[in-house]
Each structure stands twice: as structure tokens, then as C-alpha cells.
Amino acid sequence: LQNIFRRSIHIEARIEKLGYKLPPLPPTPKGSYINFIRYGNILHISGHLPQTIDGKLIKGRLGEDMSIEDGQYAARLAALQMLAT
């Protein structure tokens, strides 16, 4: 258990060193599902949206109403949501 705690601190420090910040709590699911479920050593995640810390949902379609940079930003937000779970 001690090694798991050390590793999580290391991961959080690395995320911070890269200039990212984990959201404090993942937002409440927008549907009737749970954010994650674990089967043995496999973790299935779902419902993580590109949502800013203040609750704004990033929406759009690449090439139509969203630039590649905006899409990358949205993907980063969704990834950080997954990591925070």
C-alpha cells in the first residue's frame, strides 16, 4: 500500500510539472451510467467529457466549427477528467 501511495504522489507531481492541473472532482455523470468500473486489473471508463473546471462543456466538430488546437484542448480536458477519476 505504501508503494501505491508514493506512486500516486509521483504521478500527480509529474502531471503538475507538465503544466496541467487535475480537476478537483469529476463532474456528475450526464446520463444513467457510472464514470468507471473495475474488473480485476482492468478499468473501464466512460462519460468523461471535455468540460472546464467552471463547468463549461466544449462542443464542436473539427474542421467545421472547431480548430485543431481547440480540439486538442478539448481532448486534454477529457483526459484530465479521466485521470482525476
Side-chain angles (χ1 to χ4, degrees):
L1 186 61
Q2 187 82 10
N3 287 339
I4 293 171
F5 184 68
R6 278 193 208 142
R7 178 135 176 105
S8 67
I9 292 173
H10 173 73
I11 291 169
E12 289 174 358
R14 176 77 173 135
I15 290 169
E16 194 172 308
K17 185 177 179 181
L18 290 170
Y20 301 113
K21 183 178 178 182
L22 292 177
L25 291 173
T28 304
K30 303 280 188 222
S32 59
Y33 55 84
I34 56 174
N35 285 335
F36 68 93
I37 190 163
R38 182 177 173 181
Y39 291 106
N41 64 349
I42 297 174
L43 185 67
H44 296 273
I45 55 176
S46 67
H48 294 82
L49 301 172
Q51 193 168 7
T52 63
I53 291 176
D54 63 356
K56 180 183 175 196
L57 182 62
I58 307 296
K59 297 185 265 183
R61 191 171 186 155
L62 288 177
E64 288 183 13
D65 55 356
M66 180 183 279
S67 70
I68 290 177
E69 293 80 14
D70 290 340
Q72 290 170 333
Y73 175 68
R76 262 187 228 104
L77 288 174
L80 288 169
Q81 296 268 347
M82 288 181 241
L83 291 171
T85 299

